[in-house]
Structures are given as structure tokens and as C-alpha cells.
Amino acid sequence: MERGRISAAQVAVLSFMAVTATSLLTAPTVASSVAKQDMWLSPILASTVGFLIVWLLVKLNQAYPNQTLIEYMKKLLGRPLGVTIGLLYLLFIIQTTANVLRQFTDFIKMTFLLTTPALVIAGSMILVCALIVRGGVETVARFATLLLPVVVVLILMLYMPTIKDINAHNFEPVLSEGMTPPLKGAFRLMSWVPVFTFMNFYLPFVSNKRHMLGWAFGSVAIFTVILFVTFIFVYAILGDATPIYVYPFMVLARFISLTEFFEHLESLVMMVWVVEIVIRITFGLFSASIGLAQCLGLPQYRPLVLPISMIMVLFSYWGITNVEFVFSPEIVMYYLTFGLLLPLLLYLASLMKRRFGKQQKDTEEKGEYAV
Amino acid sequence: MTHPKDERSTQPDVGAAPSSDAMPDNGTQSTNGSNTDNQNQAQQSAQQQPSQEQKASSNSTNAAYNSGIQMAPTPSVEEVLAYQRQLLSLPVTGKLQDNINTVRELFKDCSDIIVHEFDILNGPAASLVYLDGLSDMRLIDLQILTPLQHTGTDGAHNKEAVVKCVTISAMLEAMDFENVADKIGYGHAVLFMDGVTSALVYDVINPIIRSIEEPEAETVVRGPREGFVESIRTNTTMLRRRLHTPALKMKPIFIGRYTKTATVIAFIEGIADPNLVKEMEGRLSAIDVDGMTDTSLIEEWVEDNPLSPFPQLMSTERPDVVTAHLLEGKIALISDGSPVALIAPASFMSMMQSPEDFYQRSIVATAIRWLRMLFSLITIFGPSFYVAVLSYHQEMLPTSLLLTIAVSREQIPFPALVEALLMEITFEALREAGIRLPRQVGSAVSIVGALVIGQAAIAAGIVSSPMVMVVAITAVSSFLIPNYSLGIAIRFIRFPIMLCAGILGLYGIVLAALVILIHLMTLRSFGVPYLSPLAPVQTSQLKDTLIRTSSPHALTRPHLTGSFFNRIRIRTELYKSRRNS
Amino acid sequence: MMHVMFLGFVGLVIGSILWLEWPSLDHALTKAVYLTIVFSVFIISVVITLWPDTPGPLQGVRTLFRPLILPWMRK
């Protein structure tokens, strides 16, 4: 179905950039609304879930080397149950990506292109992503790797001038209500972390699987670090006002007045965000296309890319009147179910199958090798 | 044209009224025998046609000729082609007169063919055939005719004696007329001898070539100033003057049924990947065209992706550039009649390098390279940024600048996008017109262009002065791109980006840039990814792309084009030991 | 009127991608899946345009997971 090969480092960079995309812009608000001044602990706590998810996926991939989650779910749970849960999982993927698309469309519409119809913005974005996904897994991975320096440089350009405005006293009092607020903040961050589960669709195409676990952990770690630094910067500068702004990062960009000339750099933020959202949506679109093709047993996934992108545009409008909806706890539970619970159950099922299935003749090969 | 009742018919009226249904019969019977009857020359050779059936038809058409105004209709193209093919398939016979007749038939309406029949002293009768102008007549007279007619073969009637007599070293033997016709067409002189069943072909080609000048599109300040010319022998000689090694191989291929253009695949054996050479040979031998006049036609046939605006083979007129790329493991295509050599595989970054980078000092060259890349970005995105910022993101400009621009744009009736498109298209038209300007008019027209289009348009309120400035900077920066084909591609993709900027602002620019980036990422030139050291990141090659490392540090050849085995190109132990001591 | 134009545009887009992609869909199953998805998208977009308050998948998720959240919310 897909004959491309990518490297472990490329998968790590791709996942990290995809997950960081939306979280940078809106996570500070969400976390600070429950955790207030202790929000800087939330990324560290949330990263445990991230590490767990990634570890589960790599272990599952070691047990079933060339198969994605949909395929070994069909094998572990049997065909009828596997296909049903697979379709639900695909709905989950499409839902999350559609949420991201909607957030992005609202952001662009509210801040820059006020009168452009939302369909034009969303449609043009999804068309570019469909183009990338149709180029195959190598294009997706290479694209993320190519744009990594651009994103890093632009983010640094936005952090550097704000250093002089940092006010460390905003963080006091530290942990005044115990660990509960950071935990609640970490729970809110679960809107973004389960996206690491999409990584499983790329693991079968990795050529050097030996270092996969290291790179995967590295990707989660870098995500944590970036989120941590962002939270610190945002809260140090904006203080208690953070929960008020929908996009604190943008407010940070507006603060920059290094010289008279470098003002109003929110357009720069927008450009960085467009690039990151493209990566995020291709991450999801490729997963959904390959997942659907494997779930239904189709030989090719490329023809499905355009219909699935149409579904995504549709889902980004259906029933969502206000993007705040997306951060509600029910949605977080939904994400956690499919992002964490499903791989966990599958992993336990595969352990049980290996333990009890050793007596029977196992026809499938198991590629076990040490990490 | 041959209507029987045509009063201006050229045939004399010999009596009987023409009947219109007699004509078609004559038409179907008219083989080339009747064709030759109507011609003035070579009428006697009609009776000596090797094919027998034409004699019968010529008799019948003789009868038809006598009976009326009917002119034998002109033979169809099909018949002409069949006759040519038949003539070309004949072998060289031992009878001199047959050979001469065949040659005369083949080159029937060629006024520059010379068939010189003579007797070798004390030897057989012979005839020398050549094309006037292509062959060097002085050489023929001196080296072929003088020994044969003054010294002769001392009674021997065989080929070896003639070979011993004529003192030209570039000699071949031809057995059939296809070969003979080819060789005469190239300018060789062909010697037929009575009683010998092959013809001797002597290379007496008169080289008429342009003198070697500096190529106008690729000038350097410091470095060699030779450029390729239109003769393939001169071009390969220029390469050989730089690479004095038998490892420089030049594989010949002839392309085009009528032009039979000689093309050469040049590569250095041991450095170039043999699979690449074989792939190129395969692609070239699949080209079956009527004619090929320039290497750009090869380029279209051989490319992986002819629909992309970006060139996938690098074209250059300089032999030092070709030499440098051959030493990196690439292969070059040189063709007769074209001063442009093609280098495959090509990558984007290799086309952004100027040969001058390597002739200047490394730090200076690195700075100039960065300047070039910056200005390439300005070429692509300059007008688009102007349009996007003025239409959607006015807050990005500093206030004073914004006020100035607003004042100058106040009377302009067009929105920024239309103004930008207008100016850019006008400038492209000017540039295209400038290529064809005769030199005398050039300076006058450039003054007119600057004054009229620049100043008067601003004064008339059609465009604003910031726009003219943007267009001027864009135009100047597009000249920094060293390779002309790549420059055209970059100038061309500016326009879709401008449209996207006008529709969606900065977001549109980002999307359009991403689409172009995706296209470049998936483009391959002979299997090598187009954005080669950048897209699949190869850190070992970055040293030659982003900076120009000084020569003692450029140890290895580029990886994807050269053989991995022979990748060390500089051995620096002696150099380092001398510097350290 | 705006609705009609919008739905016409959506129909046009769907028609054009169907027309362009049809020769490359080899399997019958692929054709079936493609058509199903594309037509359901069109039908749902008609429904959303004419009745904008139709509950979407997020509402479904919300109702499904609300019982899980309720014990925590009370805390």
C-alpha cells in the first residue's frame, strides 16, 4: 500500500511538531484558567501520559512490525469488533483534526481575514494538506523536517525580545493549594497530548527501528520542554491576565517593541502557525486515510484522501458554534479513551495473546528484538 | 493543377482531346519511372533503373504522354518515401556505373552534389562523390585526387592498393547506400571504384564554426572566458583540453532521422555512476524524432517531469562548469549544432551556484552566495509581500512608512493586486522585448522605458512610486540567479503567488509557498531529489551549499551523483603536514 | 439564495473531484466507499445549511461521556 520509508528521527520531529502546533497558541489559557500561577507544572505532569502512550505504541509496533494500529486491532479483537472499533477510532482521528481545523479557521478569521468566508480558509488549507498526503509518507515526513528550522527560528524570534519583560513575581505564591491545580491543568492539557497516538500509523514505515523508542521519548520530551518554556514566558509576562486572552501567544507577539520597526509581529506568529497547522493536519489526514484503507481492506489509500478531507471540513462546522466547546472535560475524556485507553487495552490483549497463545501454533511472525 | 482543360497547361497540345477519366488511370500507374520522365536531368538513367517494373510503366506513360495534354501527376509523398527507402537499401555493387546512378538518384535535386568520375592511373575507373561546401575541396584535390591520378595503383584493381595510395588517415568503409548517403550528408567524400564492392569514405569535412567567445549569459569577472560553439568536435576538444585522461569517455549517439545530429554523452569513468550512464543511454536511444536542432529538445525528452517549470537538467555554455560537474560524478550531454551542454542530474542548489563562487575567495564567495539566496527570496516574494501587506496587514508597517505609502496610493484607481500585476507583467514584457532589441536601438528604448514607464506612469496616477520601487528591486534581484532556466522558472512562479497574496493575504503567501515547496520536494532529476542537500538532509553536502568551504576542506564528492566508492577527491596529508611544520 | 449558491458550489466541487478521480478507482469497494463518503458529505452539508442547529458529532461525544464526568464535577 505504501512503499515509502522514513527514519525514526523524522517520525519524532513530525509528531513533536504536530502536537506542539495547537498547544502553543491556546494551551496557556486553558491551563491557567484552572491552575493559575502553578500552570508551569502542568506540562511536566501531562508528559507522563505522553511517555506512556508513546511507549505503548512502540511496544505494540515491536510486536507487530509492519502493521498499524488498525491492522493489529483487527487481528487481536477479531474482524467484526476490530472493524467497528477501527471505524470509531477513525472518527476520533477525523474529529480531532477537524477541531484543529476549526480552531485555525477561527483564529485566521478573527485576527486577519475578517471578511473571508471560513470555507475558503478551511478549504485552501485542507487542499494543501491533501496535496502533501497524496505525495506519500515520505513527503509528509520530509515536509516536517524541512520546516523545522523555520519554525524554530521564528519561535525564537518571538521569545527573545520578550525576555526583558519577564516578571518572576507573577509565579508567587507557588503551589498555594497543593498539587491539585497543576493536576487539573494537566488534565486540561490532555486535549493535546493524546495526539501522539497518531504516531502509530507512521511506525510501520520506519527503516531504523532500533532507535525508535529513544527518538519517540525525545519527541515527547521536547514537546514538554517547549510547552514548559512557553508557559513560563506567558505567565511571567501576562500574569493573572492570562486566562482572559484566547491566544496569549499572540498577545505576547503584540507586546514586542524592540525598536520602532519590529512592531506588530503577530503576522509572523500567524505564519508560523499556518506551517504548524499544515503539519498537524497532514499528520491526522495521513493517519485517517491509511487507517480507513486498512480498516476496509482497500488496496490504495490515495483516492480516499480527498473525501476524508471533505469530511474534515464538514466536521469542523457541524455542531461547533464556539471553539471553547473543544476544551470541555467530556472531550478530554473522549480523547483519553481513544488515545490512551485503546493502545493500553490492545497492549494488554497482545500480552495475553502471547502468553496464552504460545501453546497454540502461532502463524504470524513476531519481530521481537531488544530496545 | 493538372486539370485537363487548364489553358495554362505546360504540356503541348498534341492532338487528341483529353478525357478526364484517362487521368486517374495514369495517376495510379504513375510510379517513379514516370516521375523521372518529366524531369530534365538524368533521363538516361531512367532506363538504367535497377528495378525492372518501372521500365514497363515508363513505356506506358510514354504512351500516355504522347496522347494528350495530360501531365503526369506529381508523385505522392508515399511514393517518394518508398522510392527513397528502396534506394537506400541497395548495397554497393561492383559496377561503377550502377553506383553512380544510384547516387545521382538519391541526391537528385541537390545542386551541391558533385560526382567526379575519373580514372585512377594504371588502375580501375573510379568516381568521387561529395557535397560542395561541406567537404574541403582543397583537401580532396591534394590528398585524394592527386595521389590517385598522378601515382595510381600500379595496375592493381583492389581496395588495398587504393588505400595505400591515398594518404588520409580518417578512412572508413561503407557497404550499403544507407551508410554512403549518411556519410556524404555529413561531408565526407566517398570513393567508388569499379570492381570493388565497397566504397571508401574519407573524412574531409570543412569545419565552419563560430570563433570561441565568452558566453553572454554566463559571464564571470575572474575565470576562463571560453564558451562552447556549435561544432561538436570543437566542444569535445575543449573538454579534452581540460581533462587529459583516458577516463573521460564520450559515448556517441545520433538523434533525429533527418538531422542525424551527433550527440555525445560525456562522463568520467570511475567517478560517474555506471547506472546513471546506462539510464541516460536508454532514455536517449528511445528518442525517435524527425529532427533535433538544439539540446533543449533532448531536455524535454529525457526529463522525468516535463510539466514542471523547474529545469531538471542544468544547461551551461561554459566548459569549465561542465568539467567541474563531471568531476563531481555527473554526466554531460553535448550535441552538434548547439553551444549549450546539458548536465544531469541537476539539483536546485547546484543551479544556484555560479562558477565565480569557486574562483573567488571562500569567505567572500560565501557572503555572495548568501546574498544571492536572499535576493532570490526577494524575487519570489517581494511583490507578493507588498500586495499582502497593503491589502490585508497594514498594521505591519511602521506608521510613518504607512502614511507615506497611503499618500502616494491615494489617487491610484486600482487595488494593490491589480497595480502589482500590471507593473510586473509590463516589466516582463520589457525584458522579453529587450532580448530582441537591435543594439543601436537598445539605449534609446531603455531610456524610454525608464522615463515613460517609471516616471510618467507615476505622474499620470496609474501606479504609485513604492510599486515601481518594488518592481525595480525585484527585477534587479532576479538577475542574481546564475542559471537562466532557473531564473525564468522563479520569475514565472511569482505570479501565482501574487494572486494568492491578493486573495488571502499573508496566509495565501504561506500556502502558495508551501505548495511550491511540496512540488520541489517531490521533484526528482534522474533519481536525485531536487532539493538535494536540504530536503533529505545530508549534512556532508551542506558544506558546499550553504557556505563555500575552502578547497582544502572539501574532501568528498557529492554523494547521490557520484559513486560512493570513489568519493575522496582531495588528499590533504601532505598539505597539512607542510602547514603544520 | 446564498444557501442555494453555496450548496451548488459544494455540489460542483464534489462533481469535479468525482469526475477527475473516477478512472483511478480500481476496486469496486473503493468506488463504493468513495461514493458513500462523498454523497453523505453532500447530504450532511445540505442538512447543516438548512437547519443550522443540527447536533453534530461533538454533541454526541458530550452526551456519551457526560456520565463519566459527573462524579468528578460534583467534587
Side-chain angles (χ1 to χ4, degrees), chain B residues 425-441:
Chain B
I425 294 181
T426 311
F427 193 79
E428 290 296 323
L430 262 182
R431 191 201 300 254
E432 190 64 25
I435 298 179
R436 280 168 249 293
L437 280 181
R439 222 160 284 145
Q440 301 89 341
V441 192

Side-chain angles (χ1 to χ4, degrees), chain B residues 161-204:
Chain B
V162 175
V163 169
K164 213 166 21 156
C165 186
V166 177
T167 53
I168 293 190
S169 57
M171 186 199 79
L172 294 168
E173 215 173 312
M175 303 294 199
D176 55 63
F177 272 95
E178 188 158 354
N179 227 344
V180 167
D182 261 1
K183 294 287 185 258
I184 297 181
Y186 272 112
H188 298 88
V190 176
L191 183 68
F192 293 103
M193 294 152 290
D194 202 11
V196 178
T197 53
S198 63
L200 293 176
V201 176
Y202 293 106
D203 183 351
V204 289

Side-chain angles (χ1 to χ4, degrees), chain A residues 104 108 112-113 116 120-121 124-125 128 131-132 139 142-143 146-147 261 264 266-267 270-271 274-275 278, chain B residues 385 392-393 395-396 398 503-507 510-511 514-515 517-518 521-522 524 529 531 534-537:
Chain A
F104 167 74
I108 296 273
F112 296 106
L113 303 173
T116 312
V120 172
I121 303 177
S124 52
M125 162 63 73
V128 173
L131 195 64
I132 301 181
T139 314
R142 214 181 282 171
F143 191 73
L146 191 62
L147 290 173
F261 183 69
H264 298 298
E266 57 250 24
S267 309
M270 191 269 288
M271 281 168 54
V274 170
V275 168
V278 167
Chain B
F385 262 119
Y392 294 93
H393 305 280
E395 72 270 6
M396 273 187 79
I503 299 178
L504 288 172
L506 213 54
Y507 171 59
V510 175
L511 279 189
L514 288 180
V515 169
L517 197 63
I518 297 167
M521 270 198 330
T522 53
R524 277 178 184 257
L531 290 177
L534 298 178
V537 176

Side-chain angles (χ1 to χ4, degrees), chain A residues 95 99 119 134 187 292 296-299 303-304 306-307 310-311 314-315 318-320 325-326 328-331 333-334 337, chain C residues 6 9 14 17 21 25 27 29-30 33-34 37-38 41 44-45 48 54-59 61-62 65-66 68-69 72:
Chain A
Q95 190 69 52
N99 289 345
L119 181 65
R134 277 185 81 112
F187 180 73
L292 187 61
L296 300 175
L298 301 174
L304 295 175
L306 273 181
M310 293 182 74
I311 297 183
L314 185 72
F315 274 22
W318 192 7
I320 309 181
F325 193 117
V326 174
S328 56
E330 294 92 353
I331 305 295
M333 288 302 297
Y334 173 57
T337 315
Chain C
F6 173 68
F9 177 69
I14 290 183
I17 67 173
E21 283 267 12
L25 304 175
H27 243 208
L29 186 58
T30 320
V33 169
Y34 199 92
I37 297 181
V38 153
V41 163
I44 296 179
S45 53
I48 297 182
T54 324
L58 268 185
Q59 271 92 351
V61 163
R62 205 174 198 187
F65 283 87
R66 192 170 282 268
L68 288 175
I69 300 293
W72 281 20

Side-chain angles (χ1 to χ4, degrees), chain B residues 553 572-581:
Chain B
H553 299 291
T572 50
E573 296 95 10
L574 189 58
Y575 171 77
K576 285 195 179 130
S577 63
R578 290 181 84 201
R579 282 184 63 126
N580 290 337
S581 65

